[in-house]
Amino acid sequence: MRRLIALRALALAFAAALFLAGSAGAAEVRVMISGGLTAAYKELVPEFERSTGNKVLTAYGPSMGTTVNAIPNRLERGEPADVLIMVGYALGDLVKQGKVIADSRVDLAKSPIGVAVKSGTPKPDISSADAVKATLLAAKSIAYSDSASGVYVSTEMFQRLGIADAMKDKARKIPAEPVARVVARGDAEIGFQQISELLPLPGIDIVGQLPPDLQKITVFSAGIAAVAKEPEAGRALIKFLASPAASAAIIKSGIEPIAPGSTN
């Protein structure tokens, strides 16, 4: 408890320093964010708002895909944005397209893929690649996300395990909905998604992370949109989310903070 109080005080002091160092009045910071960092973000943003006087307006959506809420599609429609928080390689694509300011990118956290089942059902063996293969072949239905983890599971992992053909009729991509909800209501026996996106939702048990030889770590990054109207306030928010003061909330959400300046 004492450590949490100290971290909260540090967060407040850090954000207040940002405010005093150069914020000229309150700003409305518009953020587009994908699922992986959402739990930590929702905990941290109120601290930033209280300490700076800025208001954060948030739009949620996947980092990629064809759904109407996908961040690239939101930008294509001309929706306003100052800060984008999403899968690192998807943010990199937007940098190449000139939609994100290149030198504004900051890698925030690393997230492993987890496996979930409906609460109260037996937890399958996922201790090794062979165990995962046997579990998937025995399962009646499998769900995976339409973002980074699902792209990997469906286009790489199934092939590596030699079960791509066997998965065609029972594994399906879930657009615009957390995989955990599909598993919780019994529409899929097994679900794959980043641990941080599984943890906040009820009705499931997390079996664990994929074994190391099958694991795919997703980096979540933040950057300033080229169309930003509040780039400086946006940079202050990113700096706050990347600071040591944010680490406790990030770790609690099931992901690993990336130290500023680290190469990933």
Side-chain angles (χ1 to χ4, degrees):
M1 178 61 70
R2 188 174 300 170
R3 182 171 178 269
L4 289 175
I5 292 172
L7 285 169
R8 181 174 288 263
L10 178 60
L12 288 168
F14 181 87
L18 289 175
F19 178 60
L20 294 172
S23 178
E28 284 192 344
V29 185
R30 294 183 178 271
V31 178
M32 293 183 185
I33 182 170
S34 62
L37 267 172
T38 296
Y41 170 85
K42 286 181 175 179
E43 181 175 336
L44 292 166
V45 160
E47 299 282 8
F48 177 81
E49 290 181 320
R50 282 192 290 269
S51 298
T52 65
N54 293 335
K55 178 70 175 176
V56 179
L57 306 176
T58 307
Y60 298 93
S63 297
M64 60 200 74
T66 59
T67 61
V68 68
N69 289 333
I71 291 173
N73 296 335
R74 287 182 180 274
L75 292 175
E76 195 65 31
R77 290 196 300 272
E79 292 188 25
D82 297 303
V83 176
L84 307 177
I85 303 173
M86 55 196 295
V87 170
Y89 69 78
L91 187 75
D93 289 341
L94 294 179
V95 170
K96 293 175 185 176
Q97 296 168 27
K99 295 180 179 180
V100 173
I101 298 171
D103 68 359
S104 71
R105 174 174 173 165
V106 175
D107 293 336
L108 298 174
K110 297 185 286 188
S111 180
I113 298 172
V115 180
V117 295
K118 186 174 182 178
S119 290
T121 60
K123 293 183 178 180
D125 184 2
I126 59 166
S127 60
S128 66
D130 285 343
V132 171
K133 178 178 179 178
T135 289
L136 293 178
L137 289 174
K140 294 179 180 178
S141 56
I142 298 154
Y144 55 88
S145 81
D146 64 346
S147 197
S149 61
V151 171
Y152 164 71
V153 166
S154 61
T155 65
E156 295 185 46
M157 192 183 80
F158 290 163
Q159 282 80 354
R160 286 174 58 186
L161 292 174
I163 59 173
D165 288 342
M167 295 296 103
K168 286 179 180 177
D169 294 330
K170 61 180 178 180
R172 63 188 180 101
K173 178 170 67 176
I174 308 299
E177 183 181 20
V179 168
R181 288 184 184 155
V182 176
V183 174
R185 63 174 178 258
D187 290 344
E189 187 176 328
I190 294 173
F192 292 94
Q193 200 159 20
Q194 270 94 15
I195 291 281
S196 59
E197 296 184 61
L198 295 172
L199 272 175
L201 297 174
I204 62 164
D205 291 331
I206 297 176
V207 181
Q209 299 181 18
L210 283 173
D213 52 344
L214 287 182
Q215 184 59 260
K216 177 80 168 183
I217 300 295
T218 297
V219 172
F220 286 95
S221 307
I224 301 297
V227 296
K229 293 183 178 179
E230 298 287 354
E232 293 311 310
R235 286 178 187 272
L237 174 60
I238 293 173
K239 188 173 182 179
F240 173 62
L241 295 175
S243 73
S247 294
I250 290 173
I251 292 168
K252 186 173 71 174
S253 73
I255 48 183
E256 178 186 347
I258 295 174
S262 299
T263 301
N264 293 282

